[in-house]
Amino acid sequence: KILIYGWTLVIKLFRDFISDYLKSHMDYNVEDLFDQGLDCFNVDSYDEAIEIFTKVLKEDPGHPDALYYRALARSNKGDLDLAIADFNQAIAKDPLDADCLIGRGEVWQIKGHLKSALADFRKAIEIEPDNLDYQKLVDKLSGKSD
């Protein structure tokens, strides 16, 4: 019994070690992949950036920035409904992400949904009240409507 228990413990420890090792290397590879997506985004290769950010999200669905940058890439490409869907997902995960609220607001503004844009800009100001750029967005839209 002791020998069987000993081997069982060794196998479990080895399995845990391999799992931890793979997770730590997967995270590293996911971050490398994310960086590649940013490189593509920064040179306006939006299709490639979207593809890479999608791979990042498959590997790490909770990646903090992949949804945001995929949404921006989709917006810059003109895929506004897909951009809003990504921003919605990101905001659902972190309702206090002012950048995502601003991004979604800007897409709403492009689509002509000014009340929705203004609501997102105002929420962003509640989160970051000292951000003058956010205040400028609100001032610019105040008085206009959907």
Side-chain angles (χ1 to χ4, degrees):
K1 285 184 171 181
I2 294 174
L3 184 61
I4 292 173
Y5 175 76
W7 279 110
T8 304
L9 182 60
V10 167
I11 291 170
K12 181 188 179 323
L13 290 172
F14 181 72
R15 204 176 313 145
D16 290 347
F17 169 78
I18 294 295
S19 176
D20 290 343
Y21 176 83
L22 290 174
K23 283 180 185 175
S24 69
H25 280 75
M26 181 187 78
D27 290 343
Y28 177 74
N29 291 334
V30 167
E31 286 308 310
D32 283 347
L33 193 58
F34 176 77
D35 289 343
Q36 290 174 18
L38 273 183
D39 290 342
C40 292
F41 178 85
N42 288 329
V43 296
D44 301 338
S45 295
Y46 299 125
D47 286 326
E48 192 173 351
I50 290 165
E51 184 178 321
I52 292 170
F53 293 138
T54 300
K55 287 179 186 176
V56 169
L57 290 165
K58 283 182 184 172
E59 291 292 321
D60 181 4
H63 192 282
D65 297 317
L67 267 174
Y68 172 74
Y69 280 101
R70 187 174 73 176
L72 287 179
R74 286 177 164 169
S75 174
N76 290 343
K77 210 181 135 195
D79 293 336
L80 303 181
D81 291 333
L82 292 174
I84 286 188
D86 279 350
F87 281 127
N88 286 344
Q89 270 188 294
I91 292 165
K93 288 181 180 191
D94 183 3
L96 299 179
D97 188 330
D99 289 333
C100 285
L101 287 163
I102 292 297
R104 185 175 69 179
E106 289 174 335
V107 174
W108 284 129
Q109 188 175 6
I110 292 166
K111 289 177 63 85
H113 299 279
L114 302 182
K115 285 183 183 176
S116 297
L118 191 56
D120 279 348
F121 296 158
R122 285 184 173 147
K123 283 181 199 170
I125 288 176
E126 288 175 16
I127 297 164
E128 294 184 25
D130 296 331
N131 191 315
L132 297 177
D133 291 330
Y134 295 175
Q135 186 60 52
K136 288 177 188 174
L137 291 169
V138 168
D139 293 343
K140 185 176 175 183
L141 281 186
S142 292
K144 298 179 182 180
S145 63
D146 279 345

